[in-house]
Amino acid sequence: MADSTWQWDETLYAGSARHYSVGRWPYAPAIAEAIRTALGLDGTGRLLDVGCGPGSLTLLLAPLFETAVGVDADRDMLTEAQRRADEAGVTTVEWRHLRAEELPADLGTFRVATFAQSYHWMDRPLVARRVRDMLAPDGAWVHVSANTHQGVAGDDPLPYPRPPWLRIDELVARYLGPVRRAGQGSLPTGTPGGEAEIMLAAGFAGPTRLTVEQGTVLQRSVDEVTSAVFSLSSSAPHLFGDRLPAFEADLRELLTSAARDGLFAERPRDVGLVIWRP
């Protein structure tokens, strides 16, 4: 990790799972099409989505494969993933409560392994080696680099005000302190980089890089932005302890005063796809 004192623990996203469906916008269908085209997918093979959270990417990509497995270390995230799968009528996905470091866990061989907003929380060299051994010879690792809670900053005109993200960050810092929180620890210098060196050292070849536009301007409510804040590891509900009601009241007051007719607008950020071959 960027901060060698940080240790993963089960509280990282405690209380956040139920906020994902409300506070984070879905991945655009164009992402599935870009992956299908780049990898020549034809509906065969298996997908492994590591750090799948509530299944946002897993369920989008599942139709491109015979079956899929979503792996996550947070049980509440998997409960939410199963709820969303049931709601969508998806029956080809299996959800497994595992840390990525516990792979391969007798899960077998996969055509594609995906990591979306998750790899930085793992022992990356170890996970890279283990997942590489789980891929078919013609398989691929796809890193999805995205931000689905906060749009592009700017002063270009939108139909409603942008959420006041700088003031939201200041409010979080007033309650939790200036150093970014993460589970029971903190990340004073943020999450780590250097992925390319790790992947090459693990024996991968590449990468191929693609950019996918997320789509048009989104309209967002006070409830949605509130949930977006609680969907983050740095402001997960458990971090506030008995001050959670006070924080949420202050957050909602801030958002209500900044919104127009209770609404905001944001322009989603583009999504980066980084493809590695075993």
Side-chain angles (χ1 to χ4, degrees):
M1 303 299 299
D3 175 14
S4 61
T5 66
W6 187 84
Q7 296 291 324
W8 182 89
D9 66 76
E10 293 184 356
T11 69
L12 184 60
Y13 281 98
S16 292
R18 67 184 182 87
H19 291 285
Y20 262 72
S21 295
V22 178
R24 299 206 179 197
W25 51 75
Y27 292 109
I31 295 172
E33 179 59 24
I35 292 174
R36 185 193 68 79
T37 300
L39 303 182
L41 301 177
D42 57 4
T44 64
R46 305 170 70 216
L47 167 70
L48 175 67
D49 189 17
V50 186
C52 66
S56 306
L57 183 68
T58 329
L59 295 174
L60 175 67
L61 300 183
L64 304 180
F65 300 86
E66 291 179 56
T67 59
V69 178
V71 171
D72 203 273
D74 187 303
R75 194 178 296 278
D76 289 344
M77 290 288 186
L78 296 178
T79 298
E80 178 67 7
Q82 184 63 65
R83 183 194 69 77
R84 294 169 77 169
D86 292 343
E87 190 175 79
V90 176
T91 60
T92 58
V93 181
E94 175 187 0
W95 309 104
R96 294 290 298 270
H97 182 223
L98 292 169
R99 286 192 65 189
E101 292 82 357
E102 297 177 86
L103 294 171
D106 295 323
L107 292 180
T109 301
F110 294 85
R111 185 168 184 179
V112 176
T114 51
F115 292 74
Q117 306 182 70
S118 63
Y119 189 44
H120 53 275
W121 295 122
M122 303 168 187
D123 181 335
R124 297 181 298 159
L126 174 64
V127 172
R129 294 192 301 270
R130 292 190 174 180
V131 171
R132 182 176 181 272
D133 289 341
M134 298 172 71
L135 291 172
D138 61 346
W141 166 308
V142 181
H143 182 91
V144 180
S145 178
N147 181 328
T148 53
H149 81 278
Q150 180 178 350
V152 178
D155 55 9
D156 54 308
L158 297 178
Y160 292 94
R162 287 178 168 83
W165 285 108
L166 289 177
R167 294 169 64 195
I168 292 169
D169 290 343
E170 290 170 356
L171 179 63
V172 171
R174 200 163 79 225
Y175 275 83
L176 300 181
V179 177
R180 175 177 172 174
R181 297 287 299 275
Q184 300 303 306
S186 61
L187 290 172
T189 58
T191 54
E195 176 187 309
E197 293 80 3
I198 292 170
M199 299 297 288
L200 292 170
F204 283 90
T208 300
R209 299 181 185 274
L210 304 172
T211 299
V212 181
E213 293 184 359
Q214 270 282 78
T216 57
V217 171
L218 298 174
Q219 182 176 296
R220 310 189 75 194
S221 68
V222 168
D223 284 345
E224 288 170 333
V225 178
T226 298
S227 280
V229 174
F230 286 134
S231 76
L232 300 172
S233 61
S234 56
S235 50
H238 76 96
L239 293 173
F240 298 92
D242 58 10
R243 302 181 73 197
L244 178 60
F247 171 77
E248 182 168 353
D250 285 346
L251 175 61
R252 287 182 175 276
E253 181 180 359
L254 167 62
L255 295 176
T256 300
S257 66
R260 188 172 78 245
D261 299 327
L263 295 173
F264 298 100
E266 292 201 87
R267 193 181 306 280
R269 300 167 190 249
D270 292 345
V271 172
L273 303 178
V274 184
I275 301 171
W276 296 90
R277 296 286 188 170

